[in-house]
Amino acid sequence: MKQWKILMMFILALATSGIAFSQGEQERLNTLAFEMPRRPGAVFSHDDHTQTTEISDDCAICHHVYANKTLVPDESSEDNACSDCHSLQPDRKNSISLVNAFHKRCKECHYDLGKGPVLCGECHIKK
Amino acid sequence: MGPMVWISALICIFGLLVKFILIIKEVYEKERYLLSYITVRHSLRSIIAWLIPFYPRSTRMRPVYYGISYLFHVLLFLLPVFLMSHIVLINESFNLSWPAMNDTAADILTIGVIFALVFFVLRRRFIPDVRFLTSFMDYILILMVLLPFVTGFLAYHQVILYKWIVIAHVLSGEVLLIVIPFSRFSHMITAPLTRAYTGSEFGNIRHARDW
């Protein structure tokens, strides 16, 4: 009997540590514009990114502003969501769909710097 | 995406094209008499008859093997083409897009393809006539088809060693594409040619059907 109790305690401890582990969740993007998401929201730490030397508080790298299809330098749009300008399907106003806006922005930088994830499951980590 | 995807896709397409041209050239040089009776009508008639599931008599004689084989070939093409993750990547590269299959459906069908391949291996091991015709290379070729599906399945579920599994998935897919024109997999172009020949001989000379 005693061994059983110890075993049960052990299993219980494992189970609860699992819960404790999953509570320390990473920050994720859960863009509501994707009405029926097909992948778990991408892992993205906003603070970690703005603090890297490559970005160093240049918000416009991601929060850019366009006028007449040309990039307006030195202006930023952090009050807008990407989905305010990028719709699910590309249209005449904006040829970059929302998914591609995210994927291009995130992956191209990671690829060019050789740092940060580029594979699907490294961003869309299973919960 | 790296250049290897495009290189292997091009090797596959051009390899098949060159192979097709070589076969036609050889027919012209060595088997010219074929041209005297081969017709478009009889060729197409035979190809189409053999594409209709369970229409040719011999396929009805081995319904299990034929059924599995038919479904396998359909899925082999449909799955990769209509997989959402593949479309996302094509869309990023070419701004092309088409409707994607539901991920759960793709998942289940992938298991189906894997089972079909296991079935093909067992068949080659245990049915004496087929075993006699099987060489070691046949198992290697089956393994080459199996790998992209197994690694794709594992990658989607992020089971273990995610990064390595994805690399294995990409590489095994590329190897498969490159191998197609140089192996029995080129039956994707030679099979219709065989049908054209047989269909014309039966239709045009013996006035019979070849299905």
Side-chain angles (χ1 to χ4, degrees), chain A residues 39 100 103 121 124 126, chain B residues 84-85 91-92 103 158 162:
Chain A
R39 286 284 182 279
N100 278 345
H103 283 164
H124 301 285
K126 255 211 155 105
Chain B
M84 189 268 279
S85 346
N91 186 238
E92 263 167 66
D103 275 330
Q158 302 178 15
Y162 177 75

Side-chain angles (χ1 to χ4, degrees), chain B residues 106-125:
Chain B
D107 216 28
I108 294 166
L109 295 176
T110 302
I111 299 177
V113 169
I114 293 171
F115 271 118
L117 286 162
V118 171
F119 170 80
F120 294 149
V121 171
L122 295 179
R123 180 175 159 271
R124 283 185 182 276
R125 293 289 323 149

